[in-house]
Amino acid sequence: MEQDVRDADGAELSPERGSQVNESRPLDDIVIGNDQAIDKLREGLISHYLPELQSSKQALQELTQNQTILLDTLEQEIAKFRECNSMIDLNSLFTEAKVYHSKLVNIRKDMITLHEKTSKLKKRALKLQQQKQKEELEREQQRERDLERERQLTAKPAKRT
């Protein structure tokens, strides 16, 4: 019981090998089925592949939706990391501000100490200046007394009477 097997072009295939038989047929001999057969073939193909295509389409839509959600989540996480980095920057700025504040406090203490020392030195310089003036005045007075005494001790010629 040998069966006549043909390929998609309608060429006869040998049953042993499944290959084409070297028979040339003119194009006019190819029988084109009627519209109803074509419709049934089309409907068969569509009914065979359509559920898989629809499920694939739905899977792709879910995948796209999940990717969108994932991208949004990723953007939020990136924003959080940027915020954390800015917080680290703020923390370093606050640490630096504390260091500079302590330096300013130390400078202020040094300035107050220097002001107190200069005030004491000015008072001491004023006292020394006053003491020096007093000593100068006493020396001047002592010289005048010595000069007066010398004048008194010098012999004066007697007056004639």
Side-chain angles (χ1 to χ4, degrees):
M1 181 170 147
E2 201 170 31
Q3 197 175 17
D4 195 336
V5 180
R6 298 188 180 272
D7 69 358
D9 294 331
E12 188 177 326
L13 297 175
S14 67
E16 298 92 336
R17 297 184 188 164
S19 63
Q20 291 184 354
V21 175
N22 282 339
E23 231 179 80
S24 303
R25 290 188 173 188
L27 289 176
D28 294 339
D29 290 347
I30 298 174
V31 178
I32 298 176
N34 61 11
D35 290 339
Q36 190 178 15
I38 292 174
D39 287 341
K40 285 187 179 185
L41 283 174
R42 184 173 13 115
E43 287 174 15
L45 274 174
I46 289 175
S47 66
H48 180 67
Y49 289 112
L50 188 63
E52 286 182 34
L53 288 173
Q54 286 176 341
S55 66
S56 296
K57 180 181 177 182
Q58 186 178 1
L60 283 173
Q61 286 173 343
E62 288 177 16
L63 182 63
T64 304
Q65 184 180 7
N66 289 340
Q67 283 179 339
T68 304
I69 292 170
L70 184 62
L71 283 174
D72 290 343
T73 306
L74 190 60
E75 286 176 7
Q76 290 172 357
E77 291 298 319
I78 289 171
K80 286 180 185 177
F81 279 122
R82 285 184 181 148
E83 187 177 316
C84 286
N85 283 340
S86 66
M87 290 300 289
I88 290 171
D89 292 342
L90 284 177
N91 288 336
S92 66
L93 285 176
F94 278 119
T95 304
E96 194 174 340
K98 285 179 185 177
V99 168
Y100 286 123
H101 178 48
S102 64
K103 286 182 179 183
L104 283 173
V105 167
N106 289 337
I107 289 172
R108 184 171 181 234
K109 286 178 184 177
D110 290 344
M111 295 283 286
I112 290 171
T113 304
L114 288 173
H115 179 70
E116 290 173 357
K117 285 181 180 180
T118 54
S119 296
K120 287 179 183 178
L121 284 173
K122 284 179 183 178
K123 286 180 185 177
R124 186 172 173 207
L126 185 61
K127 285 181 185 178
L128 285 173
Q129 187 179 9
Q130 288 173 349
Q131 186 177 0
K132 206 173 194 183
Q133 286 175 350
K134 192 176 184 182
E135 287 175 2
E136 274 298 316
L137 185 62
E138 287 177 4
R139 276 192 226 132
E140 189 65 34
Q141 287 174 353
Q142 184 66 33
R143 263 191 258 151
E144 284 181 18
R145 278 185 259 155
D146 287 344
L147 282 175
E148 187 64 33
R149 197 168 171 205
E150 267 188 46
R151 269 192 249 144
Q152 288 177 359
L153 289 176
T154 47
K156 292 184 184 177
K159 291 184 187 179
R160 289 193 190 168
T161 29

